[in-house]
Amino acid sequence: MLLTVDIGNTHITLGVFDGSLIVHSWRLSTEIKRTEDELGIFIKNLLREADIQNKVKNAVISSVVVQLTESVEKAIKKYLGIVPLIISHKIRMNIQIKIDNPSQLGADRIANACAAAALYSAPAVVIDFGTATSFDIVNSNKEFIGGIITAGMKIQAEALSSHTSKLPQLKIEAPKNTIGKNTIDAMLSGIVRGHAAMIDGLLFECERELGEKAVVIATGGYSSVISDYLKRKFDYINPDLTLIGLKLLFEMN
């Protein structure tokens, strides 16, 4: 079995693959101060509860949180006896990276692009709804040619609440109407429907620059919330796309 670990700014997502199937997955909050021992015990206990502690033989890590990359790597080495593969632009992959500075490309975005190129036709646009909303674009030659990064819906909600005196904190969910009849509904409409309008506009411009229609794949926690408000519908919603990309990259290396 293969343990996949995606370290994001808000969550650490873990998945275990048995062959081609993801058989277990968990989400932990991202806490930079966690030590390698805390992380190792946490991961080991999750595997023990799933009764697969001795079945996991390999591991792969993607991380956008530099402070945690080494801690998680050491935790897996110490508590599972496994040397994990760390994803970077230097490893073998099924796409070519054609951007100005490949070393700046997040490992999760590499995984998303590789999974899109392997599972779907190209050109492809992956939209990942995480702390940030990111677009990863693979052209018809299976080259990663760049993308877009903008504030995610959670960041928008927190910014409205923290920088204004009267706007409350809120849970991101589908708004009832475009015109909100109360503060909460007005905020939700601006965040969710506004985000959808932005995505429609950006997808139009991406396809214009590509010169052809692209396959659009959504992943991340808020993809299902926003899908009903798009004019340009997602072709696929794949919540496990990043973990699948990590599995494919591990197999290539």
Side-chain angles (χ1 to χ4, degrees):
M1 288 184 171
L2 171 68
L3 173 66
T4 57
V5 184
D6 177 37
I7 305 170
N9 290 298
T10 304
H11 294 103
I12 299 174
T13 305
L14 302 96
V16 174
F17 284 85
D18 187 359
S20 61
L21 298 177
I22 185 167
V23 292
H24 296 282
S25 62
W26 304 271
R27 295 182 80 192
L28 314 178
S29 60
T30 299
E31 297 289 346
I32 293 175
K33 293 182 179 180
R34 279 181 176 156
T35 67
E36 63 185 82
D37 291 314
E38 290 173 316
L39 290 163
I41 291 169
F42 215 130
I43 294 170
K44 190 172 184 178
N45 284 340
L46 289 174
L47 299 180
R48 182 185 292 120
E49 287 296 315
D51 197 26
I52 56 172
Q53 178 184 342
N54 298 320
K55 297 179 181 179
V56 174
K57 304 299 182 183
N58 296 290
V60 55
I61 298 171
S62 71
S63 176
V64 297
V65 185
V66 176
Q67 303 95 316
L68 276 176
T69 307
E70 186 176 0
S71 297
V72 174
E73 180 184 12
K74 288 181 176 179
I76 291 173
K77 286 179 180 178
K78 182 174 181 179
Y79 286 88
L80 302 183
I82 296 169
V83 178
L85 172 69
I86 308 297
I87 300 301
S88 77
H89 69 287
K90 296 180 180 181
I91 66 171
R92 187 180 299 113
M93 60 187 74
N94 60 332
I95 59 172
Q96 292 186 332
I97 299 176
K98 298 289 187 177
I99 62 173
D100 293 341
N101 191 343
S103 65
Q104 294 179 348
L105 183 59
D108 56 337
R109 299 180 67 196
I110 293 173
N112 284 341
C114 289
L119 300 178
Y120 309 102
S121 60
V125 178
V126 177
I127 307 176
D128 192 342
F129 294 91
T131 304
T133 296
S134 63
F135 288 56
D136 303 317
I137 290 99
V138 178
N139 68 13
S140 56
N141 295 322
K142 294 193 174 181
E143 297 170 331
F144 184 102
I145 58 170
I148 302 164
I149 301 174
T150 186
M153 289 189 285
K154 185 178 179 182
I155 289 178
Q156 292 183 26
E158 290 173 347
L160 283 172
S161 177
S162 62
H163 292 285
T164 57
S165 60
K166 291 187 177 181
L167 295 183
Q169 294 184 345
L170 77 165
K171 177 184 177 183
I172 303 298
E173 56 189 6
K176 297 177 183 178
N177 301 292
T178 301
I179 301 173
K181 297 185 181 299
N182 56 66
T183 300
I184 296 294
D185 286 348
M187 291 173 68
L188 286 173
S189 181
I191 293 167
V192 178
R193 290 178 183 266
H195 218 66
M198 176 195 71
I199 288 167
D200 279 326
L202 290 174
L203 280 174
F204 176 84
E205 292 299 329
C206 287
E207 290 181 327
R208 184 182 63 81
E209 291 185 19
L210 286 167
E212 57 185 322
K213 286 286 186 181
V215 176
V216 181
I217 308 109
T219 191
Y222 295 119
S223 52
S224 59
V225 175
I226 203 168
S227 60
D228 290 339
Y229 305 101
L230 294 168
K231 294 178 181 178
R232 171 70 160 87
K233 300 297 185 182
F234 300 135
D235 294 300
Y236 301 95
I237 297 177
N238 189 336
D240 297 321
L241 188 74
T242 308
L243 298 184
I244 293 170
L246 295 182
K247 170 188 170 293
L248 293 172
L249 286 166
F250 176 82
E251 292 171 348
M252 294 174 205
N253 287 270

